[in-house]
Amino acid sequence: DTGVSQDPRHKITKRGQNVTFRCDPISEHNRLYWYRQTLGQGPEFLTYFQNEAQLEKSRLLSDRFSAERPKGSFSTLEIQRTEQGDSAMYLCASSNEGGRFFGPGTRLTVL
Amino acid sequence: QKEVEQNSGPLSVPEGAIASLNCTYSDRVSQSFFWYRQYSGKSPELIMSIYSNGDKEDGRFTAQLNKASQYVSLLIRDSQPSDSATYLCAVNIEETSGSRLTFGEGTQLTVNP
């Protein structure tokens, strides 16, 4: 499968715990994006990498959120001290120019 | 005003009919436009992109763009039950800091057999 992959697909955690998600983009894509989606809404932009450089972060991304793309390939998104409001689908997408291609997402449930 | 607005739906059409999905955007410098299909519980799937005024056809799908009116639409001809999904309109602006893609809230389409 040469599409975008994400791991894990589902994560259930207790409030206050830290979680980390991984995204492997399409190999020839230099841009990588993280989005968050809640029920009935379109995806909301969180952050964006061009190769290994994090070029933009949304105001939605509080200090509890951090993302890395250490070698310009895969990326991780960490949420520290999770809150119930963090429950959502976290989507990773990659592209060169043009439309983003999304991975299957990681569904996070914070109890 | 929301940056990207879609007709709220839900939209219901009979099998074989034309489904029309509409989207307006607020930022005049928007450069490229995309339609995504999202099945329940799945991630968005890119189905159409359009960059210049006019129509773009791909199989049963036609995207229409009117930059003067800040309007983009998606027509689905010969609608099938498998087309039942939420359709997301997305608008892109290339900036020096990168590329900003903004989504609408989506329109839920049901095609009835």
Side-chain angles (χ1 to χ4, degrees):
Chain A
D1 185 0
T2 56
V4 180
S5 62
Q6 292 186 246
D7 184 69
R9 297 289 300 276
H10 303 273
K11 179 70 176 179
I12 300 174
T13 191
K14 292 183 179 179
R15 188 162 50 100
Q17 297 295 305
N18 299 343
V19 295
T20 300
F21 310 141
R22 177 181 170 124
C23 171
D24 287 88
I26 294 171
S27 58
E28 59 266 31
H29 286 174
N30 55 20
R31 297 179 177 183
L32 186 148
Y33 310 82
W34 286 97
Y35 290 85
R36 179 172 66 190
Q37 188 177 26
T38 54
L39 197 63
Q41 302 295 313
E44 295 176 299
F45 170 76
L46 293 178
T47 191
Y48 156 63
F49 291 86
Q50 175 106 6
N51 300 311
E52 67 275 11
Q54 188 174 19
L55 296 186
E56 192 173 353
K57 291 172 64 173
S58 165
R59 286 168 294 184
L60 293 174
L61 216 64
S62 76
D63 291 344
R64 298 185 296 105
F65 288 71
S66 62
E68 295 181 341
R69 193 182 182 195
K71 295 183 180 178
S73 56
F74 73 92
S75 176
T76 58
L77 177 69
E78 181 183 18
I79 309 174
Q80 295 182 326
R81 305 180 303 281
T82 52
E83 301 173 356
Q84 288 183 325
D86 297 332
S87 295
M89 175 77 88
Y90 289 82
L91 295 163
C92 176
S94 70
S95 74
N96 287 325
E97 293 182 5
R100 295 6 169 209
F101 293 88
F102 283 88
T106 295
R107 182 167 296 282
L108 173 65
T109 302
V110 182
L111 301 175
Chain B
Q1 181 187 5
K2 293 181 181 177
E3 289 187 65
V4 181
E5 294 203 54
Q6 297 185 238
N7 42 341
S8 57
L11 177 65
S12 182
V13 300
E15 184 174 357
I18 296 175
S20 177
L21 303 160
N22 303 315
C23 174
T24 57
Y25 59 95
S26 61
D27 195 330
R28 286 195 167 273
V29 300
S30 300
Q31 296 154 321
S32 48
F33 308 85
F34 305 93
W35 283 99
Y36 286 82
R37 177 175 62 200
Q38 187 171 28
Y39 293 113
S40 181
K42 303 295 186 182
S43 62
E45 174 191 5
L46 179 63
I47 56 172
M48 287 289 284
S49 58
I50 187 165
Y51 301 92
S52 55
N53 282 329
D55 295 0
K56 179 181 178 182
E57 187 174 316
D58 183 0
R60 296 186 295 112
F61 298 98
T62 299
Q64 299 174 318
L65 175 61
N66 184 326
K67 289 188 178 181
S69 300
Q70 295 176 236
Y71 173 88
V72 59
S73 67
L74 180 70
L75 300 178
I76 306 174
R77 291 182 301 281
D78 187 25
S79 296
Q80 301 297 308
S82 59
D83 295 327
S84 298
T86 296
Y87 288 81
L88 296 161
C89 172
V91 174
N92 188 65
I93 300 174
E94 291 287 334
E95 299 171 326
T96 52
S97 61
S99 177
R100 181 162 59 93
L101 186 70
T102 304
F103 286 85
E105 293 186 349
T107 299
Q108 185 177 342
L109 171 67
T110 300
V111 180
N112 300 304

